[in-house]
Amino acid sequence: MHSSTVQGHVVMNLVVSHELSFRIVVDLDYDPADPFAVRFTFHLPGDAPVTWFFARELLLDGISRPTGEGDVHIHPVGEELSEVCVVLHSPDGDARLVASAPPLIAFLARTDRLVPMGEEPTGSELDEQLAAILAKGCENLG
């Protein structure tokens, strides 16, 4: 059972138009308790932070090739794969963000050391972990 998390920060450009974009800080969090997801918390000027959960594999795939469906689409920018574009669709509108790829790759590498890609617990493993957590929780109450 893993108890630590992976956290990081990246600066992304929120693209408003071809002429206008601004830099925002994005907190990245990975918790092995939810091994398939990465949490992105966007700190927007003048607004409360906005949090989105992405599939970790979607983020990894999007660094090298266009991927995604539904609310989240990720694709590399340019031939060098040095930047990544994240497009978010919500009822409030769409957001286009561009980030440097190396910090995202470094963050994903840290998550992979904690829970290797493709080795996330599934099915009965999760049931066993949940039972162990619940048992510990009940012991702590007594």
Side-chain angles (χ1 to χ4, degrees):
M1 180 74 183
H2 302 285
S3 59
S4 57
T5 62
V6 176
Q7 297 177 329
H9 306 284
V10 66
V11 174
M12 299 180 101
N13 286 314
L14 177 60
V15 179
V16 179
S17 69
H18 287 295
E19 299 83 27
L20 179 63
S21 68
F22 54 93
R23 295 161 57 94
I24 61 171
V25 174
V26 182
D27 295 328
L28 309 175
D29 292 289
Y30 176 76
D31 185 345
D34 189 4
F36 295 99
V38 174
R39 183 175 69 199
F40 279 59
T41 302
F42 301 94
H43 296 276
L44 304 169
D47 280 327
V50 176
T51 299
W52 282 67
F53 288 85
F54 299 173
R56 181 169 63 149
E57 188 173 0
L58 177 76
L59 181 58
L60 177 66
D61 291 347
I63 290 170
S64 60
R65 62 180 176 82
T67 189
E69 56 186 57
D71 294 339
V72 180
H73 294 261
I74 303 173
H75 63 86
V77 176
E79 297 295 316
E80 302 84 34
L81 306 181
S82 61
E83 291 186 317
V84 178
C85 180
V86 177
V87 179
L88 306 174
H89 302 285
S90 80
D92 297 326
D94 297 344
R96 184 171 178 263
L97 301 119
V98 177
S100 177
L104 295 174
I105 293 167
F107 176 79
L108 286 169
R110 290 172 48 217
T111 71
D112 192 61
R113 286 195 292 276
L114 201 55
V115 178
M117 277 284 187
E119 294 183 23
E120 297 90 350
T122 57
S124 62
E125 290 177 60
L126 286 176
D127 292 340
E128 290 169 21
Q129 288 182 359
L130 181 59
I133 291 168
L134 293 175
K136 286 179 190 169
C138 292
E139 289 168 10
N140 293 337
L141 293 175

